[in-house]
Amino acid sequence: MTSVYAQRRARLAAQLGAGGIAIIPTAPERQRNRDTGYLYRHDSYFYYLTGFAEPNACLVLAADGTSVLFCQPKDLEREIWDGIRLGPEAAVATLGVSQAFSSAEIDTRLPRLLENRGRLWYPFATHEGLAVRVEGWLGQVRARVRFGALCPAEQGDLCTLLDEMRLVKDAHEQDIMRRAAAISAQAHIRAMQRSARMLRAGQEVREYHLDAELLHEFRQQGSQYVAYGSIVAAGANACVLHYQADKAPVHAGELVLIDAGCELDGYASDITRTFPADGRFTGPQRALYELVLDSQKAAVAATRAGARFNDPHDATVAVLAQGMLDLGLLDRKVYGNAQDVIEQRAFFQFYMHRTGHWLGMDVHDCGSYVEPSELGQSHERKDPLSGETITNRPSRILRPGMCTTIEPGIYVRPAAGVPEQFHNIGIRIEDDAIVTETGCELITRGVPVEPDEIEALMRD
C-alpha cells in the first residue's frame, strides 16, 4: 500500500513541470545554551512529504517522481548518545524513497542531481542559509558546462505549491487533528477543575499550577510537544494577547484565560477557554462572556464550504459591535449604531485581532488567505484608525477539508468612559473547525463553552 507521504510526493512531482526538481530540507538543530540543544522539531514541509522526524536530512524530488533522501548515516558512537538513526540503507524501504545517501555526501551528489534540469524549486525565505547553499550547488553545475551540463534556468518558490497542498487536509490529517483536539480539551478540563478545587480548599493557586495540568495531560495522552507556548492568564493578564503562563496568583472572583493546545504526530490543536477561577461567573463577567459566545456562534454559522474566509470575522464583529453598545462599552451618543462602530473600527479598542487562522502542521498554518482565482480583483481603502492605505483582495473561498480556528474575544482595559465593572476582564473562546459542505465540524468541543456547563464542570 502506498503511504500518504508517497502519495503527496507524487502529487508534488506532477506540479514541478518538465525537467523540474525540488529541494526540501528539514529544520536544523538549535543550541539552547552551553552543550544543550532545544528539543528538536522537524520542518513541517519536509515532514509532510516524508513522515521522517530526524534532523540533518534533505529530500530531493524530481518531476518524474524520483526521490532522493539525504539523512544521517548510522554511527554507533553517536547513537549511544543521541538515539538510534534510521540510516540511508533502511530509508529506502522504510520511507519509500527511490534512493538514500548520507547527509555528508549532499555537497558532492546534489549538484549532479541538478544538472540538466529546467527549473529548481525550493522553499524561499524559510531556511537560513539555504539560498547560499543553493548558489554553491548551482556554481558546481556551471563549472561543468564545458562537459555539456546545463544549469537550471529558472527558480521557483516551493512554498507556493506546498501551501496549496497543505491547505486542504486529507482524512489522515483530519484524524490526527481530532485526536490532538481531544487531548487538548481534556487538558483544559483538568486545569479548570484544579483551579476550582484548590481555591475551594483555601490553597494558593498560581498560573504555573494550571500550566502544569496542561502539560501533564498532553504528555499523559501521548502528545509529543506543546503546539505553542501556553497562555495561562489570570485576571488583568488576560488583556495581554500573547501573555505566557507565569507565576501570577489566581484569585477567586477573577477570570482565567487559557489558550493552549498540544501537537500530536506533527499536527497542532489550538483551544482557548475563559472560566471563573473559583467556578462561578459574576454578573459583569457573564454578560461579557455571553456576548463573546454569541459572536462565536455567529462565526460558526458563517463557516461552511462556499463561504469566504472573512465571513466568520464579519459575523463576529457585527455581534460584538452591537453588544459593545448594548453593554455601554461604547457610547451610542459618540459612536452611533453598530454599523457606525464597524465603519469607524471603534470596536478595535476591545477586539483587535482576527477571528481565525489556518490550522494544521503549524498552529498558524500555511496557505493564502486570498482567493487565488481572484488575485487581480482589488480595491484600496483608508483605515479609519491608522490612516494607512490598505489593499483589499477577495478572501479565500472555503472548501471542505480546510481547517481554521474560530476565536472571538473581548479585552477591556481601564479607560475613560469604560464602565468600571468591566475593567481588566479579558475573554476569548477558541475552537478548531474542519470545513464541511454544509457547515463545519468543531473538533474541540470536548471542553464546554456554555457558561452553565463550565460552572457545572468546575463544581465536579
Side-chain angles (χ1 to χ4, degrees), residues 21-153:
I21 191 167
I23 299 172
I24 311 100
T26 195
E29 295 177 287
R30 298 192 182 279
Q31 187 168 326
R32 184 179 186 274
N33 53 29
R34 186 178 178 87
D35 201 32
T36 304
Y38 281 102
L39 182 65
Y40 181 73
R41 202 271 188 187
H42 53 261
D43 174 78
S44 294
Y45 291 119
F46 177 85
Y47 189 84
Y48 180 76
L49 295 170
T50 64
F52 188 52
E54 287 186 22
N56 302 315
C58 183
L59 175 71
V60 181
L61 180 67
D64 63 1
T66 302
S67 54
V68 179
L69 180 75
F70 293 92
C71 63
Q72 296 179 126
K74 298 292 289 181
D75 184 325
L76 295 181
E77 182 178 353
R78 290 316 311 167
E79 289 178 53
I80 290 173
W81 291 93
D82 302 326
I84 302 299
R85 298 176 177 181
L86 179 63
E89 290 186 6
V92 173
T94 303
L95 303 177
V97 294
S98 305
Q99 293 178 292
F101 302 101
S102 166
S103 52
E105 300 179 49
I106 191 169
D107 287 330
T108 56
R109 290 186 176 272
L110 189 50
R112 299 304 294 266
L113 294 174
L114 299 181
E115 283 187 12
N116 306 319
R117 300 290 180 176
R119 171 175 286 194
L120 170 60
W121 297 85
Y122 64 94
F124 291 178
T126 57
H127 295 271
E128 184 178 355
L130 177 60
V132 174
R133 296 195 73 187
V134 167
E135 288 301 311
W137 295 324
L138 292 178
Q140 293 186 51
V141 177
R142 292 190 185 98
R144 288 178 46 81
V145 294
R146 287 174 295 175
F147 302 96
L150 298 177
C151 190

Side-chain angles (χ1 to χ4, degrees), residues 376-438:
Q377 302 177 30
S378 65
H379 69 274
E380 293 185 344
R381 64 178 177 86
K382 182 166 288 189
D383 181 78
L385 296 181
S386 67
E388 180 183 2
T389 299
I390 297 172
T391 301
N392 278 353
R393 302 183 191 276
S395 73
R396 194 80 192 221
I397 297 173
L398 299 179
R399 295 165 52 197
M402 290 180 174
C403 297
T404 180
T405 62
I406 304 176
E407 50 176 308
I410 200 162
Y411 314 91
V412 186
R413 294 169 182 79
V418 177
E420 188 174 352
Q421 68 266 29
F422 298 131
H423 285 187
N424 294 317
I425 293 178
I427 296 169
R428 185 164 62 252
I429 305 170
E430 178 180 18
D431 284 291
D432 303 343
I434 300 175
V435 177
T436 67
E437 287 285 1
T438 57

Side-chain angles (χ1 to χ4, degrees), residues 180-351:
I183 293 170
S184 295
Q186 286 302 308
H188 277 260
I189 288 174
R190 188 182 181 104
M192 287 180 179
Q193 292 182 327
R194 184 174 185 190
S195 177
R197 185 170 63 248
M198 290 180 69
L199 287 172
R200 281 197 298 266
Q203 298 173 330
E204 180 186 60
V205 183
R206 298 273 177 172
E207 290 167 341
Y208 55 71
H209 290 129
L210 307 186
D211 187 36
E213 296 299 320
L214 299 168
L215 295 172
H216 175 95
E217 192 68 17
F218 291 168
R219 294 297 289 136
Q220 180 74 17
Q221 298 299 326
S223 161
Q224 294 89 353
Y225 313 95
V226 294
Y228 51 97
S230 298
I231 298 170
V232 181
N237 292 336
C239 293
V240 180
L241 298 185
H242 288 167
Y243 182 85
Q244 295 291 299
D246 200 16
K247 61 184 180 181
V250 177
H251 299 297
E254 289 183 336
L255 293 180
V256 179
L257 185 155
I258 294 182
D259 186 338
C262 73
E263 180 179 306
L264 178 70
D265 297 343
Y267 288 83
S269 56
D270 188 1
I271 302 177
T272 307
R273 290 295 184 266
T274 309
F275 57 92
D278 56 358
R280 185 176 294 276
F281 288 96
T282 66
Q285 290 170 353
R286 182 180 278 262
L288 286 182
Y289 185 92
E290 290 179 341
L291 171 58
V292 175
L293 182 57
D294 286 344
S295 76
Q296 194 201 37
K297 290 176 180 177
V300 170
T303 304
R304 64 185 183 281
R308 299 278 183 171
F309 178 83
N310 282 349
D311 289 348
H313 179 71
D314 293 341
T316 285
V317 168
V319 173
L320 290 178
Q322 185 61 56
M324 290 174 189
L325 293 170
D326 293 343
L327 293 175
L329 288 174
L330 295 175
D331 189 340
R332 294 178 190 273
K333 295 178 182 178
V334 176
Y335 295 103
N337 61 29
Q339 188 58 40
D340 296 327
V341 167
I342 294 170
E343 291 177 359
Q344 300 170 57
R345 288 186 68 214
F347 63 85
F348 194 80
Q349 178 181 353
F350 306 109
Y351 180 51

